[in-house]
Amino acid sequence: GSGLAWSMAGTRGVGREAAAAAGSLPGKRPPEPEEPSLLGAPGLSPGPGSDPGLSDSEESVFSGLEDSGSDGSEADTAAEEEDGASSDEQHSGTEKPPGQQAGTPSPRTEVASVRLEDEYVEDSSDEEDIRNTVGNVPLEWYDDFPHVGYDLDGRRIYKPLRTPDELDQFLDKMDNPDYWRTVRDRMTGHSVQLTDEQVALVRRLQRGQFGDVSFNPYEVRGSRCPQGLGAPAGPGPTPLCSSPQPAVDFFSGDLMIHPVTNRPADKRSFIPSLVEKEKVSRMVHAIKMGWIQPRRPRDSTPSFYDLWAQEDPDAVLGRHKMHVPAPKLALPGHAESYNPPPEYLPSEEERMAWEQREPEERRLNFLPRRFPSLRAVPAYGRFIQERFERCLDLYLCPRQRKMRVNVDPEDLIPRLPRPRDLQPFPTCQALVYRGHGDLVRCLSVSPGGQWLASGGPRAGQPCHGGWAGGRVLRAHPLCSGSDDGSVRLWEVASARCVRTVPVGGVVKSVAWNPRPTVCLVAVAVEDAVLLLNPALGDRLVVGSTDQLLSAFTPPAEPAAQPAHWLEASEEERRVGLRLRICHGKPVTQATWHGRGDYMAVVLATPGRSQVLIHQLSRRRSQSPFRRGHGQVQRVAFHPVRPFLLVASQRSVRLYHLLRQELTKKLTPNCKWVSSLAVHPAGDNVICGSYDSKLVWFDLDLSTRPYRVLRHHKKALRAVAFHPRYPLFASGSDDGSVIVCHGMVYNDLLQNPLLVPVKVLKGHSLTKDLGVLDVAFHPTQPWVFSAGADGTLRLFT
């Protein structure tokens, strides 16, 4: 505040000097000649020609503010300059009164100094820029108005359009390098940037220093000049010295006997104070009542405290709970005496036996010896080692006794129901279907459960890769050696081969149509899918199937399709072939939709055309995907909803066929997915992998596996769900089929119950290949398996 006032004073002085130099204003008295200033600063004098009766507009010129009513024309300025020049010439010619010296202040100078003091006393304008003229009014009154006050002309001073919030202040702080010196003017609502002089003034005031830089508090600047230094004579105040005088200490550093002043002591110094007496009486009463405790003498003895005194003794880590004291040294016995009894002295045989033993096996660490006197006992050789071991015992001693957890190993295993309580499920081998000359790759059961279809490779055809025992097989030598590459149809109850249909190639997949009113089998052979009518069962069903296929009318303008539908020739129809769907690329799997009209096919080719969907009634084929997501291993239709599950090597994707979008992506955390099966309810999925894992997914729970079963020792080739019973099975290259109980509850808050119930063995390993496919009977708790030994087995 003082620095701003000094700057305002300097501004006013400069303004008055400029007005005096330019000449008098119109209608005013010519200015007096400039007199020497009393303070040595010519800019601080208001000028002897100032008139106290000036108007507000005229006074604004002298106060440093602009006059809003002056027009400021150049003609008036020139006239003022001429008048000022003439007045200066007149004053320059005026003679000074006699007896007045150059250094003596005149009475007019004294009046000017008095006017200066009065002006600063009455002036209330302490701000550098007074724009708001609301006066001493709280600015909170203007919170609900768009303005904060009025200027000198009566115009409103409006607030900024947008008040900066914390985010704006933060951005301004990051971007503006002068943010630290920017303050907000409450009178105008705008931000003001402090100058270097103002910042220096604030820092001096914060340090408790004086606002003026040139002021030195350790010097005496108001001392009068000594005699003989040009002190002026005559009336008036004595001017101050231009050069400061050093400060003189009033008190000396010497020890003084007499007091500084000879003023007599006051009377109150000899009379007791009544106020102090009342205070003392109140303190005495408080001590008697016990409100104030007297100070006790401090005990000089050091006090020690326990670090663990504040701990809860009942806590698990409490110090005093199950505390273990440090081990104590064993007391010496007779054997350690320098003169032990004869029975403690070892014989020569005992000495040799002690030396031959290991140090850990010795009962004593020393051999007892006898000495004639205690002075004759030599130094103990293991003294340092034993002291070190004792220090280790004290340092490494446990501070708490650990309770040994006696856990029964059976408690760690989850409590599962007994398998006998989960019947029925397959327990033993009932039938063996023999007839294939080599491995049986795939099998399928008719919807009624009366017939069984199986297929195998042709002679000389290699297997298209796989994963066996944790390693990739490019061309397994076992996949060759079949007699004719045919599809065999078996009667389930008697294990009799009813019919053999030669297809002339490697049978990759066999799928029976799930509709009971249609007798149709889809066989994937090389690059085509053959639709066979085996002519088994009811003749009406066989006839309606042929009638359904022959009722198709080709469109007038056939559309371009990724596959070609070809009618079978007359010779092929005798064998049972009805339609041939050619793809141009090898087919690895063919599976039917639950209604029997759609069929999904997996092709062994990279790109987006790995999966095709065929419609039997309209004989149309389409590719549902625009781009590929890795190598597709298996596909399956959702039994209830319009979903298609596509299993690649590392993931299983669930697509919505109507919306044509990806719904979920399951991550089984397996190296290579080999097989896929969907629960009949549609909410659970199991996947088999070549790294001996069976992964169970709960689609309503998470995209991560609900349970991972590692019951097999080698790669899994096939998994399957039973359509009616809560059973699922898996076949592996270790030659076994593991049947598990998988109960899925209708309550969504209850997780599925998975219990392995039976391990079925019967297939013999043929060069690291075991069970290649499994399938459940549609109505009975039976399971079929196809093995690399060329047989099919039924477990009931």
Side-chain angles (χ1 to χ4, degrees):
S2 60
L4 297 178
W6 277 104
S7 62
M8 287 296 298
T11 306
R12 295 188 183 92
V14 173
R16 295 178 184 275
E17 284 182 4
S24 61
L25 295 174
K28 298 298 177 179
R29 185 175 57 185
E32 298 290 338
E34 186 178 357
E35 299 291 341
S37 175
L38 296 179
L39 298 178
L44 297 179
S45 176
S50 62
D51 190 1
L54 296 178
S55 62
D56 294 340
S57 61
E58 295 169 349
E59 183 65 24
S60 63
V61 177
F62 297 97
S63 62
L65 299 176
E66 297 180 359
D67 188 5
S68 59
S70 60
D71 53 355
S73 61
E74 297 180 359
D76 296 341
T77 306
E80 291 176 1
E81 291 179 355
E82 293 177 359
D83 296 341
S86 61
S87 61
D88 291 340
E89 292 176 359
Q90 294 176 3
H91 284 285
S92 62
T94 306
E95 296 180 358
K96 297 181 180 180
Q100 184 177 358
Q101 300 179 2
T104 304
S106 62
R108 186 181 297 124
T109 308
E110 297 177 6
V111 175
S113 64
V114 174
R115 287 182 181 178
L116 177 62
E117 295 177 359
D118 294 343
E119 178 184 2
Y120 281 103
V121 169
E122 297 177 358
D123 189 10
S124 62
S125 58
D126 294 335
E127 301 290 339
E128 289 187 0
D129 187 9
I130 301 179
R131 300 181 184 178
N132 199 345
T133 59
V134 295
N136 191 12
V137 173
L139 294 180
E140 291 80 5
W141 292 1
Y142 291 91
D143 290 344
D144 299 333
F145 294 93
H147 61 284
V148 293
Y150 306 90
D151 58 3
L152 293 176
D153 297 333
R155 292 187 296 267
R156 294 182 179 180
I157 300 177
Y158 289 94
K159 300 178 183 177
L161 296 179
R162 182 175 180 267
T163 303
D165 53 2
E166 295 183 1
L167 181 59
D168 296 335
Q169 295 178 4
F170 175 75
L171 296 177
D172 191 17
K173 182 179 180 180
M174 295 292 104
D175 300 337
N176 187 10
D178 295 330
Y179 175 79
W180 63 275
R181 63 166 65 196
T182 304
V183 296
R184 182 178 177 269
D185 189 2
R186 295 185 59 193
M187 299 294 293
T188 60
H190 296 279
S191 298
V192 180
Q193 184 175 345
L194 301 179
T195 60
D196 295 340
E197 294 78 6
Q198 293 173 346
V199 172
L201 173 62
V202 172
R203 289 179 177 175
R204 288 196 301 272
L205 294 178
Q206 288 179 346
R207 291 194 297 265
Q209 301 176 358
F210 289 87
D212 191 2
V213 184
S214 61
F215 179 75
N216 189 358
Y218 303 103
E219 293 182 357
V220 180
R221 294 183 177 273
S223 62
R224 299 183 181 273
C225 294
Q227 297 294 332
L229 294 180
T238 304
L240 301 179
C241 292
S242 59
S243 60
Q245 299 298 327
V248 179
D249 293 337
F250 184 78
F251 298 96
S252 63
D254 301 335
L255 181 63
M256 300 176 66
I257 302 175
H258 301 285
V260 178
T261 61
N262 291 327
R263 184 174 62 85
D266 296 332
K267 183 181 179 180
R268 62 175 178 270
S269 61
F270 300 99
I271 301 176
S273 176
L274 297 179
V275 178
E276 293 180 357
K277 180 180 178 182
E278 185 178 358
K279 291 183 180 180
V280 172
S281 63
R282 285 199 297 265
M283 295 175 65
V284 170
H285 178 67
I287 292 175
K288 289 181 180 180
M289 297 298 294
W291 300 338
I292 299 178
Q293 297 293 338
R295 296 180 181 177
R296 298 179 180 178
R298 295 183 178 180
D299 190 5
S300 59
T301 58
S303 59
F304 303 96
Y305 60 94
D306 189 4
L307 283 174
W308 298 273
Q310 301 297 331
E311 290 188 1
D312 186 9
D314 297 333
V316 179
L317 299 179
R319 177 172 174 81
H320 301 289
K321 184 179 181 180
M322 309 297 293
H323 176 65
V324 177
K328 297 182 179 180
L329 285 176
L331 296 177
H334 296 290
E336 299 181 28
S337 174
Y338 74 97
N339 188 14
E343 59 268 17
Y344 287 93
L345 296 176
S347 61
E348 190 65 25
E349 297 178 357
E350 295 176 351
R351 184 185 301 273
M352 294 179 61
W354 183 86
E355 292 178 352
Q356 292 178 0
R357 291 179 181 177
E358 297 293 334
E360 294 81 7
E361 299 177 357
R362 297 171 181 171
R363 187 175 63 89
L364 297 175
N365 295 331
F366 61 93
L367 287 176
R369 295 174 58 186
R370 175 178 293 179
F371 299 95
S373 62
L374 187 61
R375 185 175 297 178
V377 177
Y380 184 44
R382 300 185 70 256
F383 175 76
I384 297 178
Q385 182 177 0
E386 290 187 357
R387 291 296 94 187
F388 177 71
E389 293 178 356
R390 173 61 180 170
C391 293
L392 290 182
D393 291 341
L394 297 177
Y395 172 64
L396 300 178
C397 174
R399 297 290 182 250
Q400 181 181 359
R401 182 179 292 109
K402 296 293 184 181
M403 293 296 296
R404 182 178 178 181
V405 182
N406 297 323
V407 180
D408 189 2
E410 296 182 357
D411 296 340
L412 301 178
I413 302 175
R415 297 182 179 272
L416 299 177
R418 294 180 299 177
R420 67 178 63 181
D421 299 335
L422 303 177
Q423 292 178 347
F425 54 84
T427 56
C428 61
Q429 177 177 312
L431 294 175
V432 179
Y433 303 82
R434 302 182 185 274
H436 287 280
D438 205 339
L439 61 88
V440 182
R441 180 184 298 273
C442 51
L443 59 91
S444 180
V445 188
S446 63
Q450 184 180 2
W451 312 104
L452 177 67
S454 62
R458 187 182 58 179
Q461 291 290 340
C463 178
H464 287 272
W467 186 296
R471 63 183 185 276
V472 178
L473 302 178
R474 293 303 178 188
H476 203 283
L478 268 182
C479 294
S480 61
S482 180
D483 45 350
D484 54 358
S486 60
V487 174
R488 292 181 178 268
L489 301 172
W490 312 81
E491 187 180 8
V492 173
S494 60
R496 181 173 63 92
C497 181
V498 179
R499 191 170 184 179
T500 302
V501 181
V503 294
V506 178
V507 180
K508 301 291 186 61
S509 177
V510 175
W512 209 294
N513 194 297
R515 292 177 60 181
T517 59
V518 176
C519 183
L520 201 62
V521 179
V523 181
V525 180
E526 294 183 351
D527 61 346
V529 175
L530 308 180
L531 297 181
L532 304 179
N533 187 354
L536 299 176
D538 193 354
R539 294 183 179 180
L540 296 179
V541 175
V542 174
S544 62
T545 302
D546 292 338
Q547 185 178 1
L548 176 65
L549 295 178
S550 61
F552 172 73
T553 302
E557 296 181 359
Q561 298 182 10
H564 301 284
W565 295 68
L566 302 178
E567 291 282 351
S569 60
E570 189 64 28
E571 184 180 356
E572 293 175 343
R573 291 183 67 87
R574 295 174 185 174
V575 182
L577 180 62
R578 296 296 182 263
L579 289 176
R580 182 190 298 270
I581 308 175
C582 299
H583 302 83
K585 296 175 182 177
V587 181
T588 59
Q589 183 197 5
T591 180
W592 289 96
H593 188 265
R595 297 184 179 179
D597 191 22
Y598 289 92
M599 179 176 54
V601 174
V602 179
L603 305 181
T605 175
R608 65 182 183 87
S609 60
Q610 296 186 72
V611 180
L612 298 180
I613 297 180
H614 305 305
Q615 187 177 4
L616 181 61
S617 60
R618 303 177 61 182
R619 297 189 185 181
R620 291 180 54 185
S621 302
Q622 59 179 341
S623 177
F625 304 115
R626 298 179 181 177
R627 58 190 182 95
H629 296 280
Q631 184 177 356
V632 178
Q633 302 295 317
R634 284 289 185 270
V635 295
F637 285 102
H638 196 278
V640 180
R641 300 177 182 177
F643 291 158
L644 178 65
L645 288 87
V646 180
S648 60
Q649 293 182 0
R650 295 294 182 91
S651 64
V652 178
R653 287 178 170 85
L654 185 65
Y655 293 96
H656 198 291
L657 296 177
L658 297 181
R659 300 177 184 175
Q660 299 181 2
E661 63 181 8
L662 176 64
T663 303
K664 286 185 180 180
K665 180 181 178 181
L666 309 179
T667 55
N669 296 330
C670 300
K671 292 183 179 180
W672 197 317
V673 177
S674 62
S675 52
L676 176 69
V678 187
H679 192 269
D683 294 336
N684 296 271
V685 177
I686 56 175
C687 298
S689 64
Y690 289 116
D691 51 352
S692 308
K693 296 179 183 178
L694 189 146
V695 183
W696 179 292
F697 286 99
D698 191 345
L699 299 181
D700 296 334
L701 184 64
S702 173
T703 58
R704 299 286 182 178
Y706 164 69
R707 192 67 58 83
V708 178
L709 304 180
R710 298 179 177 85
H711 299 151
H712 290 281
K713 298 181 180 179
K714 291 186 179 181
L716 272 75
R717 294 286 179 175
V719 292
F721 271 111
H722 197 285
R724 293 187 179 183
Y725 291 94
L727 299 174
F728 65 95
S730 60
S732 172
D733 282 339
D734 56 4
S736 63
V737 176
I738 296 181
V739 180
C740 300
H741 176 85
M743 173 60 72
V744 178
Y745 300 95
N746 294 328
D747 186 6
L748 297 179
L749 299 178
Q750 191 170 1
N751 295 329
L753 176 63
L754 309 182
V755 181
V757 291
K758 189 63 177 179
V759 179
L760 303 175
K761 295 183 179 180
H763 292 277
S764 60
L765 298 182
T766 307
K767 294 187 178 181
D768 293 337
L769 291 178
V771 179
L772 300 181
D773 197 4
V774 293
F776 277 100
H777 194 276
T779 57
Q780 299 294 330
W782 302 345
V783 64
F784 299 89
S785 63
D789 55 355
T791 62
L792 289 90
R793 300 177 186 268
L794 171 62
F795 298 93
T796 61

